[in-house]
Amino acid sequence: MGSYLLRRTLAAFVSLVGVTFITFLLIFLVPGDPAEMVAEARFGHAVGNREVELVRVREGFDQAIPIQYWRWMKHLLSLDLGHSLINRRPVVELIRSRLPATVLLACSSLLLSLAIALPAGLVAALRKDTWLDTAARLFALLGVSIPGFWLSYLLIMLFSLELKLLPVSGYGGLKNLIMPSLALGLGMTGLVARLLRASLLEVWEQDYLRAARANGIGERKILFKYALKNAMIPVVTVIGLQLGTLLSGTVIIESIFGWPGLGKLLLDGIFNRDFPLVQGCVLVVACCFIVINVLVDLLYAWLDPRIRWSTGG
Amino acid sequence: MKINKDALIAVVLLLIIFVLAGCGRESSTGASLASQPQGKLPAELVVGVGRDTVDPEGGMWESRGLVFETLVTLDAQGNPQPLLAKNWEIAPDGLSYTFFLQEGVSFHDGSPFNARALEENITKLQSIWGKYPIQKTEIKGDYSLQVLLSEPYPLFMHHVSQLSRGMVVSPNVLEEITGEGQKEGGGMPPSGSTGGAPGGMQGSMPPAGMSGGMPPSGGMPPAGSMPPSGGMPGGIPPAMGQPQLEGPQYKVTAPVGTGPYRVAEHVSGQYWVMEAVEPYWQGPVQIPKIRYLVIPDAHSRVLALESGQIHITGISPLSRIPAGDMDRIVQSKDLVLKHEPSFRVGPIAFQHLEGVFADARVRAAFIYAVNEEDLDKVLAPTGRTINTPVTPASPFYFSDLDKKRPYDPGRAKDLLAQAGWLPSPDGTLYKDGKPLQVRLLYSTTRPEDDYLASIIQQQLKEIGVGLTITQVESGALFEALAKREFELIMAPGIGSTSLDFEMDYHSRSRRSAVADPVLDRLISAYNTATDFKAQQAASRKVQEHILREHYVLVFTTTYKSYAHSSRLQNFIPALEEEVNFMRHIWQAEFY
């Protein structure tokens, strides 16, 4: 396991360097003069050539892209993500101010969706072709099909305008968390429920479960000890990917509910060509994905002992 | 029995949702909901805004007019009126301005506002006062300061009425920028995640050099809150209003002014709270607390207004109300929707230097082919077309120039035929074997602009012209303008209270779609006119030339549309610039 983790860490390092370099390139490939965008943010809308050129020289936009990238990497090696080009605050501080909200929303959405999806998927599989299965599948289909932004407005109209139970926007209390979590979680609920149902139905017909039944093992034990663990393998993969996506920020949901998360920060950084901020955010998101992937791999081994850490299997 | 177990599972699933929905505590950021009892004076007014502009990069944008004041303000006709200056004298040569200041006014930190404080602002805060050709200042008394200019600047009184060009801060919060921080934008200390310290939090002010107060991209440019364009590098003297970038730079370290409110709390990205200053030198402040709640999504802001979570929105381009939501606001008996005139003009300009539009007949033909009445239908109720580069709100507006241009497709076809564009059997115009196909470039988040582009496309099709509509991100639009790589462009346009033609129409501006030496000379004459009347006359010449040369297909103006709870009474919006929109809120009442 130790060598496996070492290999994954090295691979992660290479991935991170690749991700940051590609991001750097992409920002420069986007139409628009980065010096002008930064100058505009600093001097106001009507920037002149003089201000733009000043920014270009002072921020090093006149240098070759690899040189700019190397400069940023040098700072990174000393664990310095640099300062925002626009507001000059440390990027670490900006990310730190937004990360808790993002993590909270991601975790709550995940928990909410799992709280609904796992029982729904189980019930749908165990009561195959009954009205419960149909209802669960319909619910899952709706969850997958309804766009998050549309659901958000529906939730606001119901809970804020009609029932007057929840505030439309804001961050801080549980009441603020409910609607964005529902809006984000419902899509995932549908996906996980459908996947779990399909996976469980497939596992349910396997020979080893027939053998277990023949040995007189109870249905409950068969379900929770043998069937569910195997059925969860593809579900865990999807959950891992979804959690990574949630942690990278969900701009639309954040905007609708006034949720101060990482997604909006990253988007603002992209619009303003604020390279250090964009790079910092991308780095954090990439790290999240990599860590989650490693955790998912570890979970695989726990769920299915046949999976080994070595490449030889 | 089996059915009962299934039903039980379903009920449990539903319960999870409802328990979650019901067990929350009251949000710390959420304001009073609509269920709040009527007839009770709320502790605070909640303003819905699109983004947190207390971050240093955006200055303290929407609420800046509550904290800071200027020497003068403008009346509805654009005439300067006393504010921090109770009177002033202007020398006949236009080079000397003597301000007689209000007595008994203090900054929020307790320091007195007097001639010395004003002088310190002028000499140190170059991002504001460096825009003017100020030669020197001379203290004539405790409350009297003479400002001597090196050249006439007829718009001086108009410009100093704007916060971005004339706000006065406490000298105690002016700090020299040194070392790494000495960059053109001025270094800002980190903004605390929470405030509450006397005078507000650190780093919540517009940085020195960030005078424009323009928030980073994502919103429309604020009219009247930005400096005019700078000059070309080298050779050409700095354009009027260009910030000085050399010499010691000072930054503002805290939001301390003389206005009716101070910043009491700021939570980055979420909200900030303004608290009334007691006593305020102009009189009692009626609304003790104002909370600015950040809701980036425009539809959500309207829903929050309808739910009662916020009480006013639409106060700046960053908190615009979607036109599609206005009907609901109008139908609500608890809400009020208003449209105020604006200085904002958005020109759709031709690339007149090369290509098909180098021929003035083609430009004129396009103008004849566009029916403004159809455009007005989609622009209403948030705007309309006009026919001059400035709006009726401006003191430089001439109604006789603002004539409806005739819609005459036949005349358009004739002009195009004269220019060599002849119809093929299917009606498409051709010249030298090539069809008349042009591209309109625009960048917007307003659905009205999408409709506008589509209607123009349809109208041009009727005369055999193909129009490709390309929507790009604002950075790409700015680059296209700077490099003049476009055929038709919906330019951002400010047409602001700065009364500045330089940005939109001077060849040296990065944002100008026009490059015409004659027009440059007219704008220079306008910029250097020695008195207001002469400048007004020069302004007319500039406008006449732009119209005569058909540089612009359509001018549109956008109203300042805002909505508020009917419980907010006696609110008079200030129209000088967006940052000042709520500067009179201290006189309003909120029941």
Side-chain angles (χ1 to χ4, degrees):
Chain A
M1 185 173 167
S3 65
Y4 168 80
L5 284 175
L6 183 67
R7 276 202 318 274
R8 288 302 301 255
T9 307
L10 286 174
F13 179 76
V14 174
S15 302
L16 285 177
V17 172
V19 164
T20 53
F21 186 68
I22 290 168
T23 311
F24 211 84
L25 275 180
L26 284 176
I27 295 174
F28 277 92
L29 289 174
V30 171
D33 182 353
E36 176 155 16
M37 300 304 284
V38 173
E40 175 182 303
R42 291 186 186 172
F43 292 108
H45 182 59
V47 290
N49 291 315
R50 188 160 166 266
E51 290 89 352
V52 173
E53 293 312 314
L54 199 76
V55 169
R56 198 185 309 285
V57 172
R58 286 195 176 171
E59 298 300 342
F61 291 134
D62 55 339
Q63 294 174 335
I65 293 174
I67 294 174
Q68 292 186 50
Y69 180 70
W70 172 241
R71 215 175 46 190
W72 180 78
M73 276 301 280
K74 266 201 314 192
H75 283 286
L76 183 65
L77 291 175
S78 54
L79 299 177
D80 177 12
L81 286 178
H83 287 65
S84 160
L85 292 180
I86 307 300
N87 65 20
R88 299 170 196 283
R89 287 168 65 185
V91 169
V92 170
E93 186 191 310
L94 288 169
I95 292 174
R96 201 168 50 205
S97 71
R98 300 296 182 96
L99 203 55
T102 297
V103 171
L104 178 64
L105 184 58
C107 291
S108 66
S109 308
L110 183 70
L111 288 177
L112 188 71
S113 68
L114 292 184
I116 300 170
L118 294 182
L122 265 178
V123 168
L126 295 178
R127 301 282 183 266
K128 187 169 176 272
D129 297 331
T130 65
W131 69 270
L132 260 177
D133 180 28
T134 309
R137 283 161 64 191
L138 186 67
F139 177 73
L141 187 67
L142 283 175
V144 174
S145 313
I146 294 176
F149 76 91
W150 190 67
L151 178 65
S152 302
Y153 291 131
L154 287 185
L155 290 170
I156 290 173
M157 282 189 232
L158 175 66
F159 289 111
S160 301
L161 293 190
E162 291 301 320
L163 302 177
K164 303 196 186 304
L165 280 174
L166 302 173
V168 173
S169 178
Y171 168 70
L174 188 57
K175 277 192 173 181
N176 297 107
L177 187 60
I178 292 169
M179 286 197 289
S181 300
L182 274 173
L184 268 181
L186 198 65
M188 206 162 86
T189 302
L191 192 66
V192 172
R194 283 163 66 91
L195 198 63
L196 180 61
R197 178 186 178 276
S199 182
L200 197 58
L201 284 175
E202 191 185 327
V203 168
W204 206 244
E205 301 301 321
Q206 298 279 317
D207 288 343
Y208 74 94
L209 290 186
R210 285 204 193 99
R213 284 194 197 97
N215 284 329
I217 300 174
E219 284 292 311
R220 185 179 299 250
K221 192 171 179 182
I222 288 172
L223 172 65
F224 288 105
K225 186 163 182 185
Y226 302 113
L228 198 54
K229 273 179 83 172
N230 281 302
M232 282 299 285
I233 291 175
V235 177
V236 165
T237 309
V238 168
I239 291 171
L241 287 172
Q242 291 286 328
L243 184 61
T245 308
L246 290 173
L247 284 173
S248 65
T250 45
V251 178
I252 295 172
I253 301 295
E254 286 175 9
S255 295
I256 291 175
F257 294 105
W259 196 263
L262 204 58
K264 192 73 176 44
L265 186 70
L266 177 58
L267 191 71
D268 287 345
I270 292 169
F271 276 131
N272 294 322
R273 311 294 195 275
D274 193 344
F275 305 105
L277 181 59
V278 173
Q279 290 289 83
C281 289
V282 167
L283 197 67
V284 169
V285 169
C287 284
C288 286
F289 264 102
I290 286 166
V291 169
I292 288 167
N293 273 336
V294 171
L295 288 176
V296 167
D297 284 356
L298 293 174
L299 262 175
Y300 283 164
W302 178 74
L303 289 168
D304 186 352
R306 289 171 299 178
I307 298 172
R308 293 288 175 268
W309 303 117
S310 66
T311 47
Chain B
M1 194 63 184
K2 184 181 165 188
I3 295 293
N4 285 346
K5 275 170 85 177
D6 293 341
L8 188 67
I9 293 167
V11 168
V12 168
L13 289 176
L14 282 172
L15 274 177
I16 291 170
I17 299 171
F18 286 112
V19 166
L20 277 172
C23 66
R25 64 179 166 80
E26 188 66 43
S27 156
S28 61
T29 60
S32 57
L33 297 176
S35 54
Q36 185 173 1
Q38 296 290 315
K40 187 180 171 188
L41 188 69
E44 62 186 24
L45 177 80
V46 184
V47 185
V49 292
R51 62 191 302 167
D52 177 2
T53 52
V54 182
D55 277 340
E57 77 270 26
M60 191 166 51
W61 207 51
E62 284 96 342
S63 53
R64 209 195 300 179
L66 276 62
V67 175
F68 301 102
E69 291 176 319
T70 48
L71 289 173
V72 295
T73 183
L74 297 182
D75 65 14
Q77 286 71 47
N79 301 312
Q81 298 295 318
L83 193 59
L84 285 174
K86 62 184 177 187
N87 203 357
W88 52 89
E89 285 172 2
I90 305 171
D93 61 3
L95 294 175
S96 165
Y97 290 72
T98 306
F99 293 99
F100 303 98
L101 309 179
Q102 301 280 1
E103 296 178 23
V105 178
S106 297
F107 293 100
H108 300 156
D109 59 5
S111 60
F113 167 72
N114 52 28
R116 190 162 298 281
L118 179 61
E119 186 183 48
E120 215 167 325
N121 268 264
I122 292 172
T123 53
K124 287 183 176 175
L125 203 48
Q126 286 295 299
S127 60
I128 301 284
W129 300 93
K131 295 168 186 167
Y132 306 110
I134 295 175
Q135 196 172 42
K136 65 171 185 173
T137 55
E138 198 173 318
I139 293 176
K140 295 287 185 184
D142 285 349
Y143 294 96
S144 171
L145 184 79
Q146 186 183 33
V147 179
L148 294 166
L149 306 183
S150 58
E151 58 187 78
Y153 193 107
L155 289 175
F156 189 57
M157 297 302 285
H158 281 79
H159 284 178
V160 297
S161 74
Q162 299 170 20
L163 287 169
S164 56
R165 290 166 174 267
M167 74 175 188
V168 179
V169 308
S170 166
N172 295 333
V173 296
L174 290 173
E175 186 182 296
E176 188 173 350
I177 303 164
T178 54
E180 274 296 299
Q182 191 164 3
K183 291 180 177 177
E184 69 281 9
M188 287 300 298
S191 176
S193 60
T194 55
M201 68 293 148
Q202 290 287 301
S204 59
M205 272 293 303
M210 241 307 295
S211 51
M214 176 58 190
S217 299
M220 289 290 285
S225 61
M226 64 290 285
S229 173
M232 295 283 277
I236 299 173
M240 180 178 71
Q242 180 175 285
Q244 292 180 6
L245 305 173
E246 293 82 21
Q249 296 284 303
Y250 285 80
K251 62 185 176 186
V252 182
T253 56
V256 183
T258 56
Y261 289 88
R262 61 161 64 94
V263 182
E265 188 185 3
H266 171 226
V267 178
S268 179
Q270 298 176 47
Y271 67 90
W272 67 99
V273 179
M274 311 294 294
E275 195 175 69
V277 170
E278 293 291 347
Y280 173 52
W281 68 274
Q282 288 203 77
V285 178
Q286 301 296 326
I287 300 174
K289 256 186 183 178
I290 300 177
R291 178 184 293 263
Y292 288 78
L293 186 62
V294 179
I295 308 177
D297 182 69
H299 301 290
S300 292
R301 279 197 301 276
V302 175
L303 289 167
L305 184 72
E306 290 176 275
S307 77
Q309 189 183 9
I310 63 172
H311 307 119
I312 181 169
T313 190
I315 58 162
S316 84
L318 296 186
S319 57
R320 183 173 284 131
I321 299 172
D325 291 347
M326 288 182 178
D327 279 349
R328 288 208 319 275
I329 298 173
V330 170
Q331 284 161 15
S332 169
K333 61 178 171 39
D334 299 324
L335 301 174
V336 178
L337 176 70
K338 288 180 179 166
H339 306 285
E340 301 289 352
S342 141
F343 284 80
R344 186 188 299 281
V345 179
I348 299 179
F350 296 109
Q351 164 56 285
H352 68 95
L353 293 174
E354 58 183 23
V356 292
F357 296 123
D359 188 332
R361 290 170 299 185
V362 178
R363 300 199 296 271
F366 271 58
I367 292 170
Y368 278 118
V370 171
N371 186 351
E372 290 177 347
E373 286 180 9
D374 289 344
L375 303 184
D376 285 337
K377 284 175 193 163
V378 295
L379 288 172
T382 57
R384 68 174 180 89
T385 56
I386 54 169
N387 294 289
T388 61
V390 297
T391 73
S394 165
F396 290 170
Y397 170 78
F398 299 96
S399 56
D400 61 312
L401 294 182
D402 188 9
K403 290 179 289 197
K404 269 279 182 238
R405 288 182 284 183
Y407 169 58
D408 189 346
R411 174 88 177 120
K413 283 179 185 170
D414 289 346
L415 283 168
L416 287 168
Q418 287 171 28
W421 293 98
L422 299 170
S424 65
D426 68 353
T428 308
L429 298 178
Y430 279 86
K431 183 179 179 182
D432 301 330
K434 288 181 183 171
L436 183 45
Q437 180 77 36
V438 292
R439 189 168 69 128
L440 169 63
L441 208 61
Y442 76 112
S443 165
T444 181
T445 50
R446 293 194 322 155
E448 298 93 301
D449 288 340
D450 298 330
Y451 301 142
L452 200 68
S454 299
I455 290 175
I456 292 172
Q457 184 184 47
Q458 189 58 39
Q459 292 179 344
L460 291 176
K461 193 179 174 187
E462 286 169 15
I463 61 162
V465 176
L467 179 72
T468 307
I469 300 169
T470 306
Q471 187 174 13
V472 294
E473 190 258 335
S474 57
L477 188 91
F478 296 152
E479 188 174 38
L481 264 175
K483 293 180 176 173
R484 301 194 192 284
E485 290 174 349
F486 62 88
E487 289 176 308
L488 263 173
I489 194 162
M490 208 180 282
I494 52 168
S496 70
T497 45
S498 304
L499 306 175
D500 168 36
F501 288 112
E502 186 121 350
M503 188 190 108
D504 284 338
Y505 300 107
H506 199 288
S507 63
R508 68 184 169 197
S509 165
R510 293 178 70 85
R511 301 287 163 84
S512 168
V514 181
D516 174 355
V518 177
L519 186 57
D520 288 353
R521 280 197 292 276
L522 289 172
I523 292 173
S524 297
Y526 165 82
N527 286 345
T528 53
T530 50
D531 61 65
F532 192 76
K533 283 212 175 302
Q535 195 157 35
Q536 211 167 19
S539 151
R540 185 181 175 97
K541 285 183 181 170
V542 170
Q543 295 180 56
E544 283 173 340
H545 187 81
I546 293 167
L547 295 172
R548 191 185 311 121
E549 294 296 326
H550 307 304
Y551 288 139
V552 175
L553 174 64
V554 175
F555 297 99
T556 62
T557 182
T558 312
Y559 303 136
K560 290 183 177 181
S561 301
Y562 66 103
H564 61 78
S565 161
S566 53
R567 286 185 288 153
L568 179 67
Q569 305 278 316
N570 304 327
F571 170 56
I572 301 164
L575 302 179
E576 293 94 319
E577 52 185 339
E578 270 90 350
V579 287
N580 269 341
F581 195 66
M582 284 181 66
R583 78 189 301 177
H584 304 308
I585 193 75
W586 66 275
Q587 293 171 304
E589 293 161 340
F590 183 55
Y591 293 106

